[in-house]
Amino acid sequence: MVASSPTNEARLRLDKEVREIEEGLRRSQHREKFTLQQRGAVRPNDLRRAMLDFNPQIVHFSGHGSGEDGLVLENDLGKAQLVSTEALANLFKRFATRGLECVVLNACYSEIQADEIVKHIDYVVGMNSSLGDDAAIKFAVGFYDELGAGYSYEDAYHGGCDAIALQGIPEEHTPVFKNIKKSPIKGNKSS
């Protein structure tokens, strides 16, 4: 899990998201299959190094997105630094052959990045508009609860959307699941 909330952007409850994910995985049936590694206040070099250090199966980014401009990481002063869609897709592409299976971009307007990343990574989640902190946290918790119970990435996506809807938060259609082998699923189609 990599997270970024620059000082000159709206403050996000990234610590709460990590705590909730950790708690869900710790109590899950398949907890032995998961090791949650995290990096906060992520700068571009930190992201690259985290990929090298952990060689993850799943990358979960929490922070701000800026649509066509890219994702918002931090610079050395803790201020916002945009990372382009192309740079992100190229980084993740290199790890596709090293075991990276899924990328979750829990950031506003990150569907643009998801569209490029899914050309290289089988399963990607992005957001098609803005997403409030509560919805982002509920999505992450629902997603990892499903994975921890042994379900697929697609089931996990639906579990995340359900977790938003069950709280009465009207953003359950904001997450978008993309699979290189199928057409994208927009909004929650489960019953």
Side-chain angles (χ1 to χ4, degrees):
M1 177 165 189
V2 290
S4 178
S5 187
T7 58
N8 60 332
E9 296 283 330
R11 210 67 185 135
L12 300 173
R13 294 287 318 272
L14 302 177
D15 55 337
K16 181 177 181 184
E17 185 173 344
V18 171
R19 183 182 67 234
E20 297 287 336
I21 291 169
E22 282 180 324
E23 184 178 309
L25 288 175
R26 195 173 27 253
R27 59 166 285 289
S28 74
Q29 297 169 12
H30 299 279
R31 65 183 147 271
E32 73 283 351
K33 294 181 180 180
F34 295 90
T35 303
L36 180 65
Q37 303 285 343
Q38 57 183 304
R39 292 282 195 269
V42 173
R43 301 167 297 182
N45 267 344
D46 299 330
L47 174 60
R48 184 181 55 75
R49 288 174 175 158
M51 296 296 294
L52 291 168
D53 290 347
F54 303 131
N55 195 31
Q57 281 184 280
I58 303 168
V59 171
H60 181 101
F61 173 79
S62 292
H64 294 285
S66 191
E68 291 182 14
D69 295 330
L71 292 182
V72 181
L73 299 185
E74 297 187 18
N75 66 17
D76 290 335
L77 301 174
K79 305 287 186 194
Q81 178 173 340
L82 289 168
V83 175
S84 75
T85 299
E86 181 181 5
L88 289 167
N90 285 337
L91 174 67
F92 294 137
K93 175 183 176 179
R94 294 185 48 246
F95 286 85
T97 59
R98 300 176 189 178
L100 182 58
E101 298 174 348
C102 179
V103 175
V104 178
L105 303 173
N106 208 3
C108 298
Y109 303 104
S110 58
E111 183 177 12
I112 292 167
Q113 288 75 41
D115 285 335
E116 290 304 310
I117 294 167
V118 78
K119 292 176 182 176
H120 313 290
I121 304 300
D122 287 347
Y123 307 98
V124 183
V125 175
M127 303 299 158
N128 64 22
S129 64
S130 64
L131 185 72
D133 229 13
D134 287 340
I137 292 167
K138 294 299 179 200
F139 177 80
V141 169
F143 185 88
Y144 291 101
D145 281 354
E146 293 269 337
L147 285 183
Y151 293 101
S152 70
Y153 292 120
E154 186 171 343
D155 288 330
Y157 158 77
H158 288 297
C161 293
D162 289 344
I164 295 171
L166 287 167
Q167 290 296 316
I169 302 170
E171 295 166 286
E172 75 269 15
H173 300 293
T174 301
V176 179
F177 181 81
K178 301 195 179 263
N179 179 311
I180 201 167
K181 298 171 183 114
K182 296 166 75 175
S183 40
I185 298 173
K186 295 200 180 250
N188 188 352
K189 304 292 187 210
S190 65
S191 30

